[in-house]
Amino acid sequence: MDSATSDVRTPLGASADNGLKIVVVGGFGVGKTTLVRSVSEIRPLNTEETMTQAGEAVDDISEVRGKTATTVAFDFGRISLDARNVLYLFGAPGQERFWFLWDRLFSGTLGAVVLVDTRRIDDSWYAIDRLEHHGTPFIVACNDFGGPQHSRAAVRDALDLDPRVPLVSCDARSRESSKQVLIALVEHLQAYYAGQAARPRQEFV
């Protein structure tokens, strides 16, 4: 397994005692590894392998011609929110043949980012379906690939998104842009779990 090249080696503070697990999911080649790599304060762990001709029979690369490597297990990174709270980031593999790993990655997950390439909206449906199945709160981030711009209403309609699910735009190559995605997710999780706690408990008689 290879690690992304980085000189950043930030030790975890001794006061950090609250680890929050976040998963980044989405279709093949939407930028999940790039997002984890750009935002992680440590050298991220990547399980990327070189794509070969043998994989052409099972992986549709027609929309990602420039892609030469792919995640085969998961990516892992870390970012500190403050002195006590740390986000642990897991990037899920995008190809259908690795989807069996997703349910394990979702275990213990506080929330998720669904990364979307608006040129290939259909590739995002499975990720949203699995998160809804697990009852995992999430936000949707549209990664900028330089294609035609779509209104948020059009993207929401195409993804059949619940109105309460935040939709943001980002450039996964940019550390600052990726940080804003995580901030949007944390804010959504705070509101989501506060709402869950405020609900009256159902009594059974």
Side-chain angles (χ1 to χ4, degrees):
M1 293 185 293
D2 299 324
S3 294
T5 301
S6 172
D7 294 325
V8 179
R9 294 180 180 271
T10 305
L12 185 61
S15 61
D17 59 5
N18 191 21
L20 311 174
K21 181 181 178 182
I22 299 299
V23 175
V24 182
V25 295
F28 179 44
V30 297
K32 301 179 295 297
T33 297
T34 301
L35 187 146
V36 173
R37 180 184 291 132
S38 71
V39 80
S40 178
E41 66 189 13
I42 62 172
R43 177 178 293 175
L45 167 69
N46 299 133
T47 58
E48 284 197 310
E49 295 293 340
T50 301
M51 298 177 66
T52 65
Q53 289 184 337
E56 292 182 2
V58 289
D59 296 327
D60 181 5
I61 62 170
S62 59
E63 299 293 336
V64 285
R65 289 294 184 185
K67 191 170 178 61
T68 59
T70 186
T71 299
V72 297
F74 60 85
D75 304 308
F76 174 76
R78 188 191 79 202
I79 184 169
S80 298
L81 296 178
D82 52 41
R84 304 188 69 88
N85 297 290
V86 178
L87 286 183
Y88 294 111
L89 309 174
F90 290 82
Q95 298 103 305
E96 184 174 352
R97 58 193 166 114
F98 296 126
W99 285 353
F100 70 93
L101 295 169
W102 285 24
D103 287 349
R104 290 187 178 274
L105 282 177
F106 289 166
S107 177
T109 298
L110 188 67
V113 174
V114 178
L115 202 57
V116 173
D117 179 351
T118 56
R119 301 170 303 176
R120 299 179 286 129
I121 286 285
D122 292 4
D123 292 354
S124 306
W125 289 346
Y126 181 78
I128 292 173
D129 178 72
R130 296 312 300 165
L131 290 168
E132 291 177 342
H133 173 77
H134 282 271
T136 303
F138 64 92
I139 70 168
V140 172
C142 296
N143 194 11
D144 181 12
F145 283 90
Q149 296 296 311
H150 302 278
S151 69
R152 294 197 176 189
V155 175
R156 281 190 174 278
D157 184 60
L159 293 173
D160 193 25
L161 277 186
D162 187 297
R164 294 167 292 185
V165 175
L167 175 64
V168 299
S169 299
C170 75
D171 181 343
R173 300 166 298 180
S174 164
R175 177 176 174 81
E176 185 57 37
S177 182
S178 297
K179 283 176 63 177
Q180 292 304 313
V181 171
L182 297 181
I183 289 171
L185 175 61
V186 170
E187 290 176 345
H188 176 57
L189 294 178
Q190 288 175 334
Y192 176 86
Y193 286 111
Q196 292 286 92
R199 289 182 181 178
R201 294 184 178 179
Q202 185 176 359
E203 296 185 2
F204 297 93
V205 294

